């Protein structure tokens, strides 16, 4: 009897230990899979943020070079068309333009000064000189030791030509250290670092004392024992210039993620990198507590055995604390997280959403547009949430997507938000279980993009639309059936103003005319400069010849009253031609009729206007 009892106890203990072992294996596998899943989600999001950071860094560099290029080309064009080309006049002009526009230091070298130093030029500098002689704008290589602190500097140079011959060069310097060091773009894992890589594979870095150094990138990677296939992959990305992100592994489990962006000049590549330890630190910290709970659970099972119910309630208590901890952390974060359950159609936000937006409920049932109290969405963007949720249910496992929408903030205005999301699937059925996303405020980015768009559409001298922008916008209105009149305004004897008073006076007159035209028309009418001294205005919705004639007379009167200190004794007049829109009209046809009417006014004695008619023009 005792022997059978002992045998039974032995079997019981053996089965219990086997159960514990199986439970430990299963739980370890589950937590390992969960950790890998969360780790992949964090890394994917970090790579996307890093790619965006590198692209933003590239756009900042290109914008600085483009601004310098536009300024130098405009100044070169003015010098080329000036009657006087002596050095003293050019220096005065450069000083006047720099003071007016607030641009950086601009230097002028004559062709003789360039030729005097040509013997010491490198082959690349000789090639740049040849490009200048062909009238091209040049971005020079990096030069070490020419910056304010002994760092790198490069130059943008524009040619000044007369009768096809190079007479001089305008150039300005740009600090090359903007290409190296901390990116300045913050990701969810902190700021990365960027370097400049030449097409040959030379890596430019700053040493601890701020002095620039050049390293062989391939040799440096191999010195750090990076696998050959990853080195080859990075080399291919540098040679092709395509935007890409590459993971570089190193001994000991260390490594980096590297984003490569082509700057578009001199074979330069922007090389942005971030340590993987920054990416893995966040999910590791989140999962550490879960692993501790798993170990504690196995230990309690081994020690207490039959107190599973007690452990169950203890685990629930810990999970509740974890949720409260998660909610507390979310409350202090600027990034709003959301989760959509595809099974019961519920949408949930983190509590910090109520700090920024007038969301009534954090957890709501959402089955379609207008449901769930989401009145904070812009009316035009409400349908975007529906399409986002439908698209989320069809994403491939591990794939993420994003969209942009507007939400009404507590500050009384709409905020542009980027929603980036990914879907988790039921491992057994393969059906979408829930989609997790984050909302990031990109209003400032949108404002900058809109400012850049408007800036590119304006004529710098007059702050009116430039020729291309005016043609595009009027063309779109005509395609939509909008009616109206096109005014062509040409200043009479404008060349005499430039010849007698100088280009600075001419530029001041153009600005005054642009301001006067904007005052003569309504806000919805489009005013643009289409030539040197030619302006065009599209008057939207006008239908009466009498109204148009009064407006043309007002234009002539407004221009004749312009008095500038730099134009003593000069009467300013203009000739105006007007054409009415026709059925199935396009911009070129309308422009041609208005131009004919304007030249009719010129031939009629100037300082007058003509209205185009099918049978001819009439005042």
């Amino acid at each position: 009897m005792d022997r059978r009892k002992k045998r039974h106890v032995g079997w019981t203990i053996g089965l219990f230990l086997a159960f514990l072992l199986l439970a430990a294996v299963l739980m370890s596998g589950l937590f390992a899979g969960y950790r890998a899943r969360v780790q992949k989600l964090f890394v994917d999001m970090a790579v996307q943020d890093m790619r965006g950071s590198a692209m933003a860094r590239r756009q900042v560099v290109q914008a600085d070079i483009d601004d310098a290029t536009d300024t130098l080309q405009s100044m070169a064009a003015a010098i080329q068309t000036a009657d006087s080309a002596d050095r003293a006049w050019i220096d005065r002009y450069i000083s006047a333009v720099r003071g007016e526009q607030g641009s950086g230091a601009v230097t002028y070298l004559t062709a003789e000064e360039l030729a005097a130093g040509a013997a010491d030029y490198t082959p690349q500098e000789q090639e740049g000189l040849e490009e200048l002689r062909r009238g091209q704008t040049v971005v020079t290589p990096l030069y070490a030791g020419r910056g304010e602190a002994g760092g790198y500097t490069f130059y943008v140079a524009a040619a000044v030509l007369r009768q096809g011959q190079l007479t001089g060069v305008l150039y300005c310097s740009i600090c090359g250290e903007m290409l190296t060091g901390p990116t300045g773009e913050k990701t969810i894992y902190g700021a990365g670092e960027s370097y400049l890589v030449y097409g040959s594979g030379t890596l430019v870095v700053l040493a601890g004392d701020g002095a620039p150094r050049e390293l062989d990138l391939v040799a440096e990677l191999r010195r750090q024992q990076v696998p050959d296939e990853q080195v080859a992959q990075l080399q291919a990305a540098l040679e092709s210039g395509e935007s890409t992100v590459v993971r570089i592994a190193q001994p000991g489990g260390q490594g980096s993620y590297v984003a490569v962006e082509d700057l578009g000049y001199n074979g330069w590549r922007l090389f942005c990198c971030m340590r993987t330890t920054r990416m893995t630190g966040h999910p590791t910290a989140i999962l550490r507590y879960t692993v501790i709970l798993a170990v504690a659970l196995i230990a309690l099972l081994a020690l207490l055995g039959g107190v599973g119910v007690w452990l169950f309630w203890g685990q629930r208590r810990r999970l509740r604390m974890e949720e409260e901890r998660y909610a507390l952390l979310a409350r202090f974060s600027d990034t709003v997280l959301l989760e959509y359950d595809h099974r019961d159609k519920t949408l949930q936000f983190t509590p910090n959403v109520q700090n920024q937006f007038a969301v009534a409920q954090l957890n709501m049932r959402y089955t379609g547009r207008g449901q769930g109290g989401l009145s904070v969405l812009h009316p035009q963007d409400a349908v975007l949430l529906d399409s986002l949720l439908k698209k989320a249910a069809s994403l491939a496992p591990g794939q993420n997507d994003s969209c942009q929408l507007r939400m009404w903030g507590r500050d009384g205005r709409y905020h542009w938000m980027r929603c980036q999301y990914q879907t988790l699937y039921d491992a057994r059925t393969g059906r979408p279980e829930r989609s997790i996303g984050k909302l990031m405020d990109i209003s400032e980015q949108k404002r900058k993009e809109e400012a850049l768009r408007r800036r590119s559409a304006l004529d710098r001298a007059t702050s009116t639309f430039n020729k291309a922008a005016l043609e595009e916008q009027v063309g779109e209105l005509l395609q939509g059936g909008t009616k109206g009149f096109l005014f062509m305004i040409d200043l009479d004897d404008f060349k005499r103003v430039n010849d007698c008073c100088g280009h600075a006076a001419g530029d001041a007159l153009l600005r005054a005319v642009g301001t006067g035209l904007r005052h003569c028309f309504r806000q919805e009418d489009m005013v643009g400069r289409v030539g040197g001294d030619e302006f065009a205005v599209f008057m939207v919705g006008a239908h009466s010849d009498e109204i148009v004639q009064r407006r043309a007379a007002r234009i002539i009167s407004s221009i004749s009253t312009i008095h500038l200190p730099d134009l003593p004794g000069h009467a300013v007049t203009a000739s105006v031609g007007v054409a009415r829109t026709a059925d199935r009209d396009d911009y070129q046809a309308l422009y041609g009729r208005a131009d004919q009417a304007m030249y009719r006014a010129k031939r009629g004695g100037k300082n007058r206007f003509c209205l185009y008619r099918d049978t001819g023009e009439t005042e």
Side-chain angles (χ1 to χ4, degrees):
M1 184 68 180
D2 292 339
R3 185 177 300 175
R4 286 198 302 268
K5 187 176 181 180
K6 290 181 180 179
R7 187 181 303 169
H8 177 72
V9 172
W11 276 102
T12 302
I13 295 174
L15 289 174
F16 180 69
L17 293 176
F19 169 76
L20 290 179
L21 179 61
L22 180 61
V25 171
L26 290 176
M27 292 183 68
S28 298
L30 287 174
F31 279 109
Y34 179 70
R35 185 185 187 283
R37 207 168 180 181
V38 175
Q39 180 75 41
K40 185 178 185 305
L41 176 62
F42 270 77
V43 169
D44 289 344
M45 295 169 67
V47 168
Q48 291 297 325
D49 279 359
M50 186 177 178
R51 188 189 297 273
S53 175
M55 292 176 64
R57 180 74 165 185
R58 181 200 67 194
Q59 291 169 356
V60 169
V61 175
Q62 290 179 337
D64 286 351
I65 296 177
D66 290 345
D67 284 347
T69 299
D70 291 344
T71 299
L72 294 177
Q73 288 178 345
S74 298
M75 295 174 68
I79 294 173
Q80 290 170 174
T81 57
D83 292 337
S84 174
D86 63 278
R87 181 60 178 269
W89 179 89
I90 292 174
D91 289 341
R92 288 196 304 273
Y93 170 70
I94 292 174
S95 177
V97 172
R98 184 174 58 207
E100 177 185 333
Q101 296 185 352
S103 57
V106 177
T107 305
Y108 178 77
L109 291 178
T110 65
E112 292 77 11
E113 291 171 332
L114 285 173
D120 297 328
Y121 288 175
T122 65
Q124 190 172 3
E125 291 172 332
Q126 291 286 356
E127 182 179 349
L129 181 58
E130 291 301 321
E131 291 177 356
L132 288 171
R133 288 171 177 163
R134 293 194 294 269
Q136 300 178 11
T137 301
V138 173
V139 178
T140 72
L142 283 173
Y143 296 103
R146 299 191 183 181
E148 294 182 359
Y152 274 105
T153 301
F154 64 95
Y155 300 88
V156 178
V160 178
L161 303 177
R162 284 183 176 270
Q163 298 180 352
Q165 298 296 320
L166 181 69
T167 60
V169 171
L170 290 167
Y171 69 91
C172 66
S173 63
I174 298 179
C175 178
E177 294 179 16
M178 67 188 299
L179 302 172
T180 61
T183 61
E185 297 290 336
K186 297 292 185 182
T187 70
I188 60 175
Y189 301 100
E193 295 182 348
S194 70
Y195 307 93
L196 179 65
V197 179
Y198 299 152
S200 60
T202 301
L203 179 70
V204 179
V205 299
L206 290 179
D209 58 358
R213 293 191 298 134
E214 295 183 356
L215 303 174
D216 186 323
L217 176 59
V218 174
E220 182 67 17
L221 292 176
R222 287 174 176 163
R223 186 185 67 80
Q224 297 181 11
Q225 301 180 17
V226 175
D228 291 340
E229 61 271 15
Q230 294 180 0
V231 175
Q233 184 181 1
L234 188 57
Q235 280 184 295
L238 291 173
E239 292 173 0
S240 65
E242 296 180 356
S243 298
T244 186
V245 176
V246 179
R247 185 181 186 280
I248 302 298
Q250 292 175 300
Q254 299 296 319
S256 301
Y257 279 88
V258 175
V260 178
E261 289 286 337
D262 183 16
L263 289 177
Y265 302 97
N266 300 334
W268 290 349
R269 307 284 189 265
L270 196 61
F271 187 86
C272 299
C273 64
M274 180 181 290
R275 294 289 182 184
T276 55
T277 51
R278 293 185 179 179
M279 298 184 183
T280 57
H282 293 276
T284 300
I286 294 174
L287 292 172
R288 185 180 298 117
Y289 190 64
T290 307
V291 172
I292 292 174
L293 289 179
V295 173
L297 179 59
I298 295 173
L300 288 173
L301 284 173
L303 294 174
L304 304 177
V307 293
V309 175
W310 183 86
L311 290 175
F312 171 76
W313 287 106
Q315 183 71 358
R316 284 193 60 182
R317 184 179 68 255
R318 289 177 176 83
L319 289 175
R320 185 170 60 253
M321 292 176 61
E322 183 69 14
E323 290 175 356
E324 292 174 357
R325 174 177 174 268
Y326 170 78
L328 183 62
L329 290 175
R331 192 176 305 156
F332 293 100
S333 174
D334 292 332
T335 300
V336 176
L337 303 180
L338 58 89
E339 177 179 313
Y340 182 75
D341 193 318
H342 292 270
R343 298 165 300 181
D344 55 11
K345 308 298 182 185
T346 57
L347 182 65
Q348 182 177 358
F349 294 91
T350 48
N352 59 344
V353 70
Q354 294 180 330
N355 298 334
Q356 305 177 46
F357 306 103
V359 176
Q361 299 177 349
L362 297 179
N363 196 333
M364 64 192 74
R365 183 170 175 80
Y366 187 88
T367 57
R369 182 177 180 180
Q371 305 295 322
L374 286 181
S375 58
V376 294
L377 287 177
H378 192 281
Q380 297 177 359
D381 296 342
V383 70
L384 287 178
L385 183 59
D386 297 344
S387 60
L388 181 153
L389 297 176
K390 292 178 181 178
K391 189 174 182 180
S394 61
L395 289 177
Q399 180 184 1
N400 62 72
D401 203 351
S402 65
C403 74
Q404 297 178 3
L405 44 79
R406 289 162 287 184
M407 297 178 66
W408 184 257
R410 292 191 177 275
D411 57 358
R413 61 187 179 90
Y414 279 106
H415 290 250
W416 275 102
M417 306 296 292
R418 183 177 71 181
C419 180
Q420 187 174 0
Y421 56 94
Q422 187 170 351
T423 300
L424 300 178
Y425 291 81
D426 188 286
R428 184 176 57 85
T429 63
R431 294 180 179 178
E433 189 171 82
R434 63 190 63 199
S435 296
I436 301 174
K438 64 177 180 178
L439 290 170
M440 295 172 292
D441 195 330
I442 57 171
S443 301
E444 185 62 26
Q445 174 186 338
K446 281 287 187 180
R447 283 193 290 270
K448 290 181 179 179
E449 290 175 355
E450 180 62 19
L452 288 174
R453 188 189 66 78
R454 291 180 179 176
R455 181 179 177 185
S456 64
L458 293 181
D459 174 66
R460 292 191 174 188
T462 62
S463 296
T464 61
F465 286 114
N466 58 36
K467 181 178 180 181
L470 183 69
E471 179 177 350
E472 178 183 355
Q473 298 205 24
V474 175
E476 290 177 356
L477 291 176
L478 295 177
Q479 287 182 356
T482 302
K483 302 297 182 182
F485 286 82
L486 183 66
F487 292 73
M488 288 294 301
I489 303 102
D490 184 89
L491 299 181
D492 298 327
D493 303 318
F494 179 76
K495 186 176 183 300
R496 181 166 56 86
V497 174
N498 280 336
D499 294 342
C500 297
C501 304
H503 285 277
D507 291 343
L509 174 58
L510 291 175
R511 285 193 298 274
V513 172
T515 302
L517 290 176
R518 289 196 299 272
H519 290 163
C520 288
F521 288 87
R522 302 164 299 178
Q523 186 175 0
E524 61 265 29
D525 300 329
M526 285 171 284
V527 181
R529 180 186 176 200
V530 297
D533 60 339
E534 288 186 350
F535 293 81
V537 183
F538 185 67
M539 189 175 180
V540 179
H543 54 81
S544 169
D545 290 355
E546 181 179 356
I547 294 176
V548 171
Q549 290 172 357
R550 288 202 303 268
R551 193 59 55 92
R554 183 178 175 184
I555 292 172
I556 294 174
S557 175
S558 173
I559 292 176
S560 66
T561 60
I562 294 176
H563 297 288
L564 299 174
D566 294 335
L567 301 174
H570 286 272
V572 182
T573 63
S575 299
V576 182
V578 189
R580 181 198 300 270
T581 57
D583 293 335
R584 294 184 299 276
D585 215 353
D586 61 17
Y587 178 83
Q588 294 301 329
L590 180 61
Y591 177 92
R593 297 197 300 274
D595 196 54
Q596 291 180 35
M598 184 270 291
Y599 278 103
R600 177 70 178 268
K602 286 278 188 185
R603 294 193 296 270
K606 303 179 181 179
N607 195 28
R608 62 185 61 207
F609 67 89
C610 283
L611 178 64
Y612 180 90
R613 297 188 185 278
D614 293 338
T615 57
E617 298 90 3
T618 182
E619 294 187 9

